[in-house]
Amino acid sequence: MRRINKQLPIPEFEKFVSRNHPTEWKQLPAQIRADSRFSILCNEQDCLCGYSEIVLEDTASHIDHYYKRDLFPKKIFDWNNLIVSTIDEDFGGKYKDNTYKIKAEEYQEIFNPVCEDMSHFIEFSGNGEIVPLDGLTDGIVNKVKKTIDVFNLNCKSLKDRRRDLILLLDGCKDIPQDIVRSMFANQGFVSVVNWFLKVA
């Protein structure tokens, strides 16, 4: 999970919220929701899931409220609380809400990709597993592990995809880094590529 480059809300979103003062997400018109999702995905997240870093198609994604709507109703229309995530139930935003069932007090124990960059504190094993870097404080190690658990970032599907990418990267050790970055620019898992180029 890397830091997301949040920007200003799209004008239609901002105008509707300021004029209508909605209290429920479903009150936001479907077209504005769709346009917001597209803008966040393309302009803020480089077409990657905000949690897992897999490449997303606009229609295979949804807007996740990092702070759950029912736990933090005042953040429902906070643009900085909107992260585009996969629609997969096995990891990401849906896993956080529906399977893990995060509690309000647990948010202080995990990384928020809008304002923190967990990628500075992790590395990857040969099988694609995310692990905390050596030498971190116990507090940061626990925060990394908790974030991995909440979003299920070490599920088999993600580990296998990261493992396959690491194997491909391993064959590119003699290629200049800028070329490697461009070769893998559309593969997702930016944190994996950055980590590999740092340790290779």
Side-chain angles (χ1 to χ4, degrees), residues 51-62:
Y51 305 120
S52 67
E53 297 185 25
I54 63 170
V55 177
L56 290 179
E57 298 291 333
D58 181 44
T59 54
S61 63
H62 79 289

Side-chain angles (χ1 to χ4, degrees), residues 178-191:
D178 57 333
I179 295 175
V180 173
R181 283 189 198 281
S182 64
M183 286 170 57
F184 291 92
N186 298 318
Q187 300 295 311
F189 299 118
V190 173
S191 295

